[in-house]
Amino acid sequence: MEFEPSAEHRMIRDTVREFCESEIRPIAQEIEDDHRFPEEVFAALADLDVMGIPVSEAYGGLGGDQLMYALVTEELGRVSGGIGLSYAAHTSLGAKPIEAFGTEAQKEEWLRPLAEGDGIGAWALTEPGSGSDASGMETTAEYDPDADEYVLNGTKQFITNANVANSVLVKAVTDPDAGYDGISTFIVDPDDDGFEVVTVWEKMGLNCSPTCEIAFDDLRLPADRLLGEEGDGWEQTMSTLDGGRISIAALSVGLAQGAYEAAKEYAGEREQFGKPIAEFDAIRDKIVHMYRQIERARLLTHKAATRYDAGEPVTKASALAKLDASEAAREVAEEAVQTLGGYGYTTDFAPQRFYRDAKLMEIGEGTSEIQHVVLGRELGL
Amino acid sequence: MKVLVTVKEVGEADDDFEIEGTDIASSDLEYDLNEWDDYAIEAAVQLAEAGIAEEVVAVTIGPERAEETIRMALAKGADRAVRVWDDAFEGTFADVSSKVDVFEAVVDEEEPELVLSGVQAADTAFGATGVALAERIGFDHAAVVNDLDLDADAGVANVHRELEGGIEELTEVDLPAVLTVQTGLNEPRYASLRGIRQAQRKEIAATDLADLGLTPADVESTLTLTEMYEPESDSDAELIEGDAGEAAGRLAEVLREKGVGA
Ligand SMILES: Cc1cc2nc3c(=O)[nH]c(=O)nc-3n(C[C@H](O)[C@H](O)[C@H](O)COP(=O)(O)OP(=O)(O)OC[C@H]3O[C@@H](n4cnc5c(N)ncnc54)[C@H](O)[C@@H]3O)c2cc1C
């Protein structure tokens, strides 16, 4: 059992950390306040080869593994949850499925720009009427044999990056009578006729990461935009989320780490009753508890990533890591706010931002309730 | 041309640290590439990118632990590295001349046309290795270089040197030369992740004194560390408070007391 990342992994983590400290931390609150997707940061991340870490070199990626990707996602989360979320959605949801299920031609055309960082990826499963229960999906793709095209109609809700994306992988019903086996995946270009960004949501946090409602109105897709086979959409979704949940777990660990560091530093400096507040048992115990939660969540995350890299089944490990890490992130961030007292409640200090950002981790890519459902099933209950 | 860059791993102490014997406890040290060497590497890599340098070789004197730091030079674009270490260095405090003994032997072997060195190391801060090496190997040199324009055809490095009091000297140095590099020469890049991955496969040649035709006696240091302690600091900082007018008034008073503008 190996608990320390390799020298190469550490070097990559440390370099990304250095980049995050100098280039992202100083603007992290500002981009939140301005609700601005920081294109320049993503361009710089592309120059560093961060945008295609777990994608094969054959398609312009780095050829790294899931653990490397998790380490880097954690570093992004440690300074900006929003950048981390857009990054994780781009990689796990936008790019990886094309690598896993695409044809050579699709990988050249759609994966390469994402892996090289020339474009941003997105993935659209959720709908206004269908969240946790994807079987209620109403978006349809009807095949038109005369034109050899699919005609896409429907609305997708809460789609990360949709308004800045090069491609959106859209789940749609191709066979209404086949239930889960009637769902297929399509590569949609936001420039396609009939694609509309209806809303960019105002959110409790993560506002530098755009979350969009998008609509398709008779959007015509050439047949070569079908990803995999007709009816593969649900199976693909399950395997995509197995990987994606590891990145949300890693992002959560990063948020928790950022909040913990802010609290620990403050507690060592802030004096009340004549001594640093860290010397009061109540505050010290809080910080020790934060550390304990983070360490646990990180171990579960690295375990899930390591299993993924070994090609072992990860449904259980990634659901557990995501469940634990997202809860840890919210609790640690909340306690960080508490540690800073009134200052923690102001936007001049980072903990409130981690607190707002952390809450989503218990909702996106399957709510915590759904992780319990998944885990219960995995445990044979 | 071949460019040799001397690099050093330096330990930076945490805010709170313990002293163990004649050194800071290693658990309180974070090891990193010496800041000025980072500028030297960047300069060398830029020369390679401009097609002026054919090969960039990084050389260090350091234990195995230093490989992680040296690999950063490789990740940023150096082609290969030489790491010199020997039992003879264990537990000793190498002075400038013993380092120069080693680098001289490496220069003999590598035959670079340009040697780039940081102006100083962040830990010992002798600020002497590069210049002393130039003297020893008979290269021209310029110290504290913060601007470099290399004319390879003419065999000349046009440099700016930072002198005291904000004065700069513009000068020409004939190649082969040693330049010691100061802050401001360039903005070092982040290593790209691809560079880091490729660096894992680049050569770091572990070299001992015998490999260089040297003996422990050749590199014997004339310096020994006898004691390490934290100096007593008697700071009498005064924090000036109040609004701008009051603060400026008090500041003027202090300056006048100290004899400024009398
Ligand atoms: C910022 C943000 C980014 C997002 N990015 C994307 C994206 O890029 N792509 C995408 O497709 N989606 C995205 N989503 C959508 C997200 O995945 C869904 O919001 C999530 O899956 C929950 O669906 P819902 O909102 O419809 O809630 P619902 O499914 O309506 O759930 C409401 C509540 O009921 C509970 N519940 C539902 N079913 C059960 C059950 N069987 N047992 C117990 N409790 C249950 C839930 O846990 C929850 O507490 C994003 C959402 C947000 C907020």
Side-chain angles (χ1 to χ4, degrees), chain A residues 186-256:
Chain A
F186 295 90
I187 306 170
V188 176
D189 184 336
D191 289 337
D192 289 332
D193 282 337
F195 185 102
E196 190 195 347
V197 176
V198 181
T199 311
V200 181
W201 288 94
E202 300 279 323
K203 307 189 295 290
M204 174 175 164
L206 301 166
N207 278 302
C208 69
S209 171
T211 309
C212 310
E213 179 174 320
I214 53 178
F216 320 111
D217 178 18
D218 280 338
L219 188 152
R220 299 190 78 88
L221 292 165
D224 67 4
R225 299 282 196 85
L226 175 66
L227 188 67
E229 303 292 322
E230 263 192 40
D232 283 358
W234 186 245
E235 289 264 311
Q236 292 176 359
T237 296
M238 292 295 96
S239 99
T240 299
L241 290 176
D242 277 350
R245 283 170 185 160
I246 297 173
S247 66
I248 299 299
L251 180 54
S252 302
V253 174
L255 293 170

Side-chain angles (χ1 to χ4, degrees), chain A residues 61-359:
Chain A
L62 185 68
D65 55 18
Q66 192 77 1
L67 182 62
M68 190 180 283
Y69 167 50
L71 292 169
V72 168
T73 307
E74 177 184 332
E75 291 307 320
L76 293 171
R78 183 171 158 267
V79 290
S80 168
I83 289 176
L85 182 69
S86 277
Y87 171 69
H90 158 88
T91 308
S92 304
L93 306 182
K96 284 296 276 181
I98 308 179
E99 182 177 48
F101 313 117
T103 63
E104 280 302 311
Q106 286 172 332
K107 291 181 201 182
E108 270 309 320
E109 186 174 359
W110 301 103
L111 177 58
R112 183 173 290 282
L114 302 186
E116 291 179 346
D118 290 333
I120 299 285
W123 187 82
L125 169 70
T126 309
E127 299 187 356
S130 147
S132 301
D133 178 12
S135 70
M137 185 182 296
E138 287 175 358
T139 296
T140 56
E142 249 179 282
Y143 184 62
D144 171 359
D146 296 335
D148 193 22
E149 285 176 342
Y150 289 90
V151 184
L152 194 63
N153 280 291
T155 301
K156 291 287 175 183
Q157 188 63 288
F158 302 139
I159 308 310
T160 301
N161 297 343
N163 63 339
V164 293
N166 185 68
S167 54
V168 185
L169 303 181
V170 175
K171 305 284 169 184
V173 175
T174 41
D175 182 352
D177 301 323
Y180 281 117
D181 292 334
I183 298 173
S184 306
T185 312
F186 295 90
I187 306 170
V188 176
D189 184 336
D191 289 337
D192 289 332
D193 282 337
F195 185 102
E196 190 195 347
V197 176
V198 181
T199 311
V200 181
W201 288 94
E202 300 279 323
K203 307 189 295 290
M204 174 175 164
L206 301 166
N207 278 302
C208 69
S209 171
T211 309
C212 310
E213 179 174 320
I214 53 178
F216 320 111
D217 178 18
D218 280 338
L219 188 152
R220 299 190 78 88
L221 292 165
D224 67 4
R225 299 282 196 85
L226 175 66
L227 188 67
E229 303 292 322
E230 263 192 40
D232 283 358
W234 186 245
E235 289 264 311
Q236 292 176 359
T237 296
M238 292 295 96
S239 99
T240 299
L241 290 176
D242 277 350
R245 283 170 185 160
I246 297 173
S247 66
I248 299 299
L251 180 54
S252 302
V253 174
L255 293 170
Q257 180 72 27
Y260 158 79
E261 285 173 16
K264 181 163 175 273
E265 189 190 336
Y266 187 88
E269 284 168 5
R270 173 70 169 178
E271 294 194 6
Q272 290 292 285
F273 300 97
K275 56 183 182 180
I277 58 170
E279 290 179 19
F280 297 112
D281 290 357
I283 299 296
R284 186 203 54 209
D285 291 355
K286 262 190 217 313
I287 292 169
V288 169
H289 189 61
M290 290 180 195
Y291 176 77
R292 166 182 165 190
Q293 286 178 292
I294 293 168
E295 200 63 12
R296 188 169 68 196
R298 186 180 284 124
L299 281 171
L300 287 171
T301 304
H302 290 184
K303 179 181 170 189
T306 305
R307 283 183 68 91
Y308 184 102
D309 290 327
E312 291 165 26
V314 291
T315 304
K316 185 163 62 176
S318 66
L320 186 62
K322 195 228 172 219
L323 176 64
D324 189 72
S326 60
E327 183 182 291
R330 184 201 13 102
E331 290 182 4
V332 168
E334 182 180 356
E335 288 292 70
V337 171
Q338 189 70 15
T339 303
L340 270 73
Y343 297 98
Y345 201 65
T346 68
T347 53
D348 274 13
F349 291 84
Q352 47 76 33
R353 186 158 43 79
F354 291 116
Y355 190 24
R356 295 158 182 274
D357 292 355
K359 185 61 222 176

